[in-house]
Amino acid sequence: MSETSTGDAVAAAAAATGAWRRAGGVAGTAIGVIAAGAAAGVALERLTVGRGMRKKARLALDATGPYGSLRGVPGTAVADDGTELHYEVEDVDPQVAAPRRRRLFGRKAPAPVTVVFSHGYCLGQDSWHFQRAALRGLVRTVFWDQRSHGRSARGASQAGPEGVPVTIDQLGRDLKAVIDAAAPEGPLVLVGHSMGGMTMMALGAQFPGLVRERVAAAAFVGTSAGRLGEVNYGLPVAGVNVVRRVLPGVLRALGSQAELVERGRRATADLFAGLIKRYSFSSKDVDPAVARFAERLIESTPIDVVAEFYPAFTEHDKSAALPVFAGLPVLVLAGDKDLVTPTTHSEAIADLLPEAELVIVPDGGHLVMLEHPEAVTDRLADLLVRAGAVPAAANVGTYGSTAQPGS
């Protein structure tokens, strides 16, 4: 590394510190320290790995792991505040699914079971890539992007100076709008990861009749019914206390300086890639292309969206809504090393739904459906059989695997 490049890196670190500090106050100072440290870390890494080489590696991973490439028939649902929500439908393929039973003359064929997948915070519908590949053609599915995520529009209620904070209850109403548009009749199986599971709980709290009348089964993956303010994220007590105290202010500052922050995110991509991997996966041998895919999903979420959604989680408490799912086939699944929604939160859900199947996946992190797709798909397939959504003889295993991401 030349003296010139070293000097440029140090200058970049100093510039980043000054720019980020202008975000204001204690939050700005914290951001400046992070930016400076990240820039210094990138400068150090350039001793052994050039930026061009890292960029080529990312492009190679993107090319060899076409995750998120599966698409369905698109549609748009309109939320109660006018937000346009993007969804995609994949129907049953008669050549893949078991033959239908003969219909008696004059009787209308019953509406098929529809499996509705809701994704987590800072992700999108493509986070269900492996499960989507595995179930393709076997059962009718709906995948949707939550407001301000993926292909959905920014939340109308959050726009402008008069914007109101996002709430989990709003997300529950958004899910109702998607169901009304994409699956207006017939049985439903609801599947939600992290924020998506909370969205399902909010749906149950506000529309219990819908759950009782139409929901045939539910799966809560790596999620929580409340008390997220107590999560330590794998940090020591002192560190957690600092994070809880300054993070809301930091995020507000970041959200108000979105353009500046997005430039900073690009400059410190290597640092954020490490953080994403730590809080997404537990396995040391996770497929690098899958890790890169998760990186792309999270990086694509604008920082002001990250900021406007975060407060909703500290207020989230839907324990009282869970009994509406009692008596249904329910799967509660989590990775045993999930640092975002620890297994104790899944156990608390299972305690409120004592007939639910509780599955803790060994060596699994928060994005367990990407890290251990076979384990998650296997349990989902069993749930669909129990709900009568697919016949017991259906062979799910041949559709989709980590080895063949687009199959």
Side-chain angles (χ1 to χ4, degrees), residues 35 48 51 71 77 94 114 129-130 140 156 183 186 194 211 215 220 232-233 243 251-252 287 296 318 337 348 350 374:
T48 55
R51 176 182 290 177
R71 300 266 65 87
T114 300
H129 175 87
F130 291 114
R140 187 175 192 268
S194 193
V211 174
V215 174
F220 298 95
N232 63 21
Y233 302 104
V243 168
L251 286 175
R252 282 195 297 273
D287 182 350
R296 293 203 325 262
K318 287 291 182 286
K337 295 182 176 64
E374 294 90 349

Side-chain angles (χ1 to χ4, degrees), residues 240-284:
V240 173
N241 290 338
V242 170
V243 168
R244 288 174 182 161
R245 186 170 64 251
V246 306
L247 188 57
V250 168
L251 286 175
R252 282 195 297 273
L254 292 173
S256 67
Q257 301 285 335
E259 185 177 346
L260 169 65
V261 174
E262 294 302 339
R263 290 202 301 269
R265 287 173 85 179
R266 290 191 291 271
T268 60
D270 299 295
L271 170 69
F272 283 106
L275 288 173
I276 289 169
K277 188 171 182 180
R278 168 171 168 74
Y279 285 100
S280 299
F281 306 109
S282 170
S283 308
K284 292 181 180 179

Side-chain angles (χ1 to χ4, degrees), residues 203-229:
L203 176 79
Q206 298 171 94
F207 306 99
L210 172 68
V211 174
R212 286 192 292 265
E213 294 167 13
R214 295 189 56 197
V215 174
F220 298 95
V221 180
T223 189
S224 171
R227 306 183 71 173
L228 285 167

Side-chain angles (χ1 to χ4, degrees), residues 124-140:
Q125 63 173 272
D126 291 340
S127 61
W128 295 108
H129 175 87
F130 291 114
Q131 292 68 43
R132 186 173 192 159
L135 296 174
R136 243 184 171 186
L138 289 172
V139 64
R140 187 175 192 268

Side-chain angles (χ1 to χ4, degrees), residues 68-75 86-91 125-126 132 136 141-144 151:
S69 59
L70 304 179
R71 300 266 65 87
V73 177
H86 177 83
Y87 67 82
E88 295 177 16
V89 177
E90 301 215 22
D91 280 309
Q125 63 173 272
D126 291 340
R132 186 173 192 159
R136 243 184 171 186
T141 53
V142 172
F143 298 86
W144 69 292
R151 294 171 175 81

Side-chain angles (χ1 to χ4, degrees), residues 18-388:
W20 286 59
R21 275 182 176 158
R22 285 194 291 273
V26 174
T29 302
I31 297 167
V33 170
I34 293 171
V42 172
L44 181 62
E45 187 178 359
R46 286 178 186 159
L47 287 167
T48 55
V49 182
R51 176 182 290 177
M53 187 178 296
R54 292 195 307 277
K55 183 177 181 180
K56 287 180 180 179
R58 287 194 178 96
L59 290 174
L61 290 172
D62 291 346
T64 58
Y67 304 111
S69 59
L70 304 179
R71 300 266 65 87
V73 177
T76 301
V78 180
D80 57 6
D81 66 346
T83 302
E84 294 188 346
L85 305 169
H86 177 83
Y87 67 82
E88 295 177 16
V89 177
E90 301 215 22
D91 280 309
V92 174
D93 182 347
Q95 294 183 343
V96 175
R100 294 183 178 180
R101 295 178 179 177
R102 182 178 299 173
R103 183 168 51 133
L104 295 177
F105 178 77
R107 292 189 182 179
K108 182 180 178 182
V113 175
T114 300
V115 187
V116 183
F117 287 82
S118 300
H119 68 79
Y121 179 45
C122 297
L123 297 170
Q125 63 173 272
D126 291 340
S127 61
W128 295 108
H129 175 87
F130 291 114
Q131 292 68 43
R132 186 173 192 159
L135 296 174
R136 243 184 171 186
L138 289 172
V139 64
R140 187 175 192 268
T141 53
V142 172
F143 298 86
W144 69 292
D145 293 317
Q146 303 242 30
R147 64 174 51 219
S148 304
H149 290 70
R151 294 171 175 81
S152 286
R154 289 296 300 271
S157 295
Q158 287 71 56
E162 304 299 320
V164 299
V166 176
T167 65
I168 302 298
D169 283 339
Q170 176 65 68
L171 303 185
R173 295 194 296 275
D174 289 353
L175 175 55
K176 175 64 162 54
V178 170
I179 290 171
D180 288 346
E185 58 180 1
L188 302 168
V189 175
L190 304 179
V191 182
H193 167 250
S194 193
M195 182 177 75
M198 302 174 203
T199 299
M200 288 163 49
M201 297 175 203
L203 176 79
Q206 298 171 94
F207 306 99
L210 172 68
V211 174
R212 286 192 292 265
E213 294 167 13
R214 295 189 56 197
V215 174
F220 298 95
V221 180
T223 189
S224 171
R227 306 183 71 173
L228 285 167
E230 300 175 8
V231 176
N232 63 21
Y233 302 104
L235 299 171
V237 174
V240 173
N241 290 338
V242 170
V243 168
R244 288 174 182 161
R245 186 170 64 251
V246 306
L247 188 57
V250 168
L251 286 175
R252 282 195 297 273
L254 292 173
S256 67
Q257 301 285 335
E259 185 177 346
L260 169 65
V261 174
E262 294 302 339
R263 290 202 301 269
R265 287 173 85 179
R266 290 191 291 271
T268 60
D270 299 295
L271 170 69
F272 283 106
L275 288 173
I276 289 169
K277 188 171 182 180
R278 168 171 168 74
Y279 285 100
S280 299
F281 306 109
S282 170
S283 308
K284 292 181 180 179
D285 59 348
V286 65
D287 182 350
V290 171
R292 171 61 186 151
F293 173 52
E295 211 180 306
R296 293 203 325 262
L297 282 173
I298 295 170
E299 286 176 349
S300 68
T301 307
I303 195 65
D304 45 346
V305 173
V306 177
E308 70 190 25
F309 270 69
Y310 179 79
F313 302 114
T314 59
E315 300 169 2
H316 168 62
D317 184 356
K318 287 291 182 286
S319 297
L322 282 171
V324 74
F325 295 94
L328 298 174
V330 172
L331 169 67
V332 181
L333 184 147
D336 69 339
K337 295 182 176 64
D338 190 332
L339 297 176
V340 180
T341 51
T343 56
T344 52
H345 289 244
S346 289
E347 290 166 354
I349 294 172
D351 287 343
L352 292 168
L353 297 170
E355 297 179 2
E357 178 188 19
L358 176 63
V359 177
I360 305 300
V361 179
D363 201 20
H366 189 57
L367 299 189
V368 64
M369 70 282 189
L370 289 174
E371 185 176 17
H372 297 289
E374 294 90 349
V376 175
T377 301
D378 178 73
R379 302 324 306 151
L380 280 177
D382 181 71
L383 179 72
L384 294 178
V385 170
R386 287 189 284 141

